[in-house]
């Protein structure tokens, strides 16, 4: 995410990435560090051998509500710094880092997808880069791949209380501004290519969830701009 290749005379590479809901990502990381996944019973002990037992079994609600370092800023500020870059201000939660991250997404990435809509991400990648992603959705849906994917599910993952989740949302407000911005751009991209969404209709959000902006999941019937010309413009950036 440094965006410097052209300074050394090379071609600008094609950047692609996928992000996920910030709170869900935080919770997966919290429990994965402690208990690993189904690929190996002792993976978590190898990964975090110095973690004390009281820390390993620390209740997630206590961690959040009592403001443990692991559950407070800047530990909750991670998506924006990655897309923002190497400037020191990219590590400071605020509007400057947020806007720079958005700019980098717009100017340097072919695609930033949403993990919750992974099948649509794969379909777009196959459309944009068929040489590398031909039949990628079929591979993803293959039973053997599904079986392997199930082994990466985090062990002992629990859902925090509504109060704790609300605090996480407040602490990660810039992360969510960026996440919803990327999600909106992703949905506009799906519409441009007439891609019907494969994401299931979400359950009603509890009151403590931050509402998302209007999502655009239905395809547009008519497009004035030719799809291939639009894709060529991206490669010229």
């Amino acid at each position: 995410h440094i965006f410097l290749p052209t300074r050394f005379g090379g071609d600008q590479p094609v950047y692609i990435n996928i992000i996920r809901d910030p709170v869900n990502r935080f919770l997966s990381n919290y429990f994965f560090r402690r208990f690993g996944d189904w690929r190996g019973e002792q993976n978590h002990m190898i990964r975090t051998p110095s973690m004390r037992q009281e820390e390993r079994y620390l209740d997630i609600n206590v961690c959040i509500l009592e403001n443990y370092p692991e559950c407070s800023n800047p530990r909750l500020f991670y998506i924006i710094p990655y897309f923002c870059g190497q400037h020191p201000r990219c590590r400071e939660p605020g509007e400057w880092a947020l806007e720079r991250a958005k700019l980098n997404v717009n100017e340097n990435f072919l695609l930033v997808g949403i993990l919750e809509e992974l099948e649509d991400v794969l379909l777009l990648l196959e459309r944009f880069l068929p040489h590398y992603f031909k039949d990628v959705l079929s591979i993803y849906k293959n039973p053997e791949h599904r079986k392997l994917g199930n082994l990466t599910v985090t062990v002992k993952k629990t859902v925090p209380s509504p109060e704790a989740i609300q605090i996480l949302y407040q602490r990660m407000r810039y992360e969510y501004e960026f996440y919803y911005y990327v999600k909106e751009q992703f949905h506009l991209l799906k519409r441009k290519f007439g891609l019907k969404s494969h994401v299931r209709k979400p359950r009603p959000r509890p009151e403590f969830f931050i509402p998302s902006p209007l999502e655009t999941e239905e395809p547009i019937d008519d497009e004035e701009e030719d799809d291939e010309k639009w894709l060529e413009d991206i490669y010229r950036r």
Side-chain angles (χ1 to χ4, degrees), residues 57-173:
Y57 290 94
L58 175 65
D59 184 89
I60 183 67
N61 292 299
V62 173
C63 183
I64 296 169
L65 297 176
E66 297 188 10
N67 203 28
Y68 279 65
E70 185 177 1
C71 298
S72 62
N73 282 327
R75 294 295 296 274
L76 302 182
F77 188 65
Y78 41 74
I79 301 177
I80 289 177
Y82 175 85
F83 285 93
C84 180
Q86 300 300 311
H87 194 286
R89 293 184 67 181
C90 289
R91 303 296 177 269
E92 302 172 6
E95 292 292 334
W96 190 92
L98 171 63
E99 294 305 317
R100 186 181 176 101
K102 290 180 181 179
L103 182 65
N104 278 331
V105 167
N106 293 336
E107 294 189 349
N108 296 290
F109 281 81
L110 173 66
L111 173 67
V112 180
I114 301 296
L115 182 62
E116 291 80 11
E117 302 175 36
L118 180 57
E119 290 191 12
D120 288 347
V121 175
L122 297 178
L123 286 173
L124 284 176
L125 287 174
E126 185 176 26
R127 177 70 180 273
F128 294 164
L129 303 170
H131 180 72
Y132 297 99
F133 291 98
K134 181 178 174 59
D135 296 326
V136 64
L137 192 58
S138 299
I139 297 172
Y140 171 72
K141 290 185 174 183
N142 183 282
E144 289 301 316
H145 178 274
R146 291 285 191 177
K147 182 179 178 180
L148 180 63
N150 289 337
L151 296 176
T152 65
V153 175
T154 304
V155 178
K156 296 185 180 181
K157 185 177 178 180
T158 60
V159 179
S161 68
E163 181 184 3
I165 291 182
Q166 177 62 40
I167 290 175
L168 280 180
Y169 268 96
Q170 292 169 353
R171 292 174 180 171
M172 305 170 83
R173 61 189 181 277

